[in-house]
């Protein structure tokens, strides 16, 4: 299990602004769902040891069947580490009957100043084998694009 899914993007906002986008419930609902999805946060506790429970709904479940139901992914995300303006480490567990989606995936969001902006590098490890790597990396890149759109005007 040496697989690591990755994506990165430079966002035209300072690290503190980008980091803030991880700790606000409404912002996470807005930017985290990848293209073709919408999200709803059911539980929110933004601190180390806290986390959130999110329901992701596929807008067209025919092409993207969900892990929890035909149209949804339900994920329980814990904040394993929060370092202001530098790093967010999340541990994600999907609700799924299919054992190929079992396990705890770690998502590390590393923030680094890059000129007037922030380079955000995401590394996912312990990715359940039922998640296709190319699709997952495209989804992470989509979430990063959403994050950029969300925070670039807030800096």
């Amino acid at each position: 299990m040496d697989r690591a899914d990755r994506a990165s993007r430079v966002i035209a906002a300072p690290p503190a602004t980008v980091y803030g986008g991880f700790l606000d419930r409404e912002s996470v609902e807005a930017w985290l769902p990848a293209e073709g999805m919408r999200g709803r946060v059911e539980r929110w506790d933004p601190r180390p040891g806290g986390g959130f429970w999110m329901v992701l709904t596929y807008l067209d479940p025919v092409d993207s069947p969900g892990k929890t139901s035909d149209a949804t992914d339900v994920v329980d995300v814990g904040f394993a580490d929060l370092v202001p303006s530098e790093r967010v480490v999340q541990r994600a567990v999907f609700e799924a009957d299919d054992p190929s989606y079992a396990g705890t995936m770690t998502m590390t969001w590393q923030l680094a100043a890059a000129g007037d902006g922030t380079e955000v590098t995401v590394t996912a490890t312990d990715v359940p084998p039922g998640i296709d790597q190319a699709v997952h990396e495209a989804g992470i890149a989509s979430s990063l694009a959403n994050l950029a759109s969300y925070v670039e005007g807030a800096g």
Side-chain angles (χ1 to χ4, degrees), residues 95-141:
E95 271 189 21
D97 291 332
D98 184 338
S100 70
Y101 296 115
T104 302
M105 176 175 63
T106 299
M107 300 281 295
T108 302
W109 305 75
Q110 193 69 43
L111 313 179
D116 291 338
T118 304
E119 182 175 13
V120 182
T121 303
V122 184
T123 304
T125 56
D126 298 319
V127 179
I131 298 174
D132 178 87
Q133 185 168 12
V135 171
H136 191 222
E137 288 179 336
I140 296 168

Side-chain angles (χ1 to χ4, degrees), residues 54-76:
M54 184 173 230
V55 178
L56 296 160
T57 302
Y58 290 89
L59 302 179
D60 183 5
V62 173
D63 291 331
S64 305
K67 296 168 194 66
T68 306
S69 74
D70 288 343
T72 62
D73 290 348
V74 176
V75 62
D76 188 4

Side-chain angles (χ1 to χ4, degrees), residues 20-106:
F22 286 87
L23 300 182
D24 178 77
R25 178 185 198 141
E26 289 76 25
S27 69
V28 169
E29 283 182 332
W31 69 261
L32 187 59
E35 183 177 350
M37 303 181 90
R38 70 174 180 272
R40 186 179 74 248
V41 173
E42 297 284 328
R43 175 180 50 82
W44 184 250
D45 185 7
R47 62 178 177 81
F52 60 96
W53 193 72
M54 184 173 230
V55 178
L56 296 160
T57 302
Y58 290 89
L59 302 179
D60 183 5
V62 173
D63 291 331
S64 305
K67 296 168 194 66
T68 306
S69 74
D70 288 343
T72 62
D73 290 348
V74 176
V75 62
D76 188 4
V77 179
F79 288 115
D81 193 23
L82 292 170
V83 180
S85 302
E86 290 181 23
R87 183 175 52 254
V88 174
V89 180
Q90 301 168 328
R91 299 216 195 296
V93 177
F94 290 98
E95 271 189 21
D97 291 332
D98 184 338
S100 70
Y101 296 115
T104 302
M105 176 175 63
T106 299

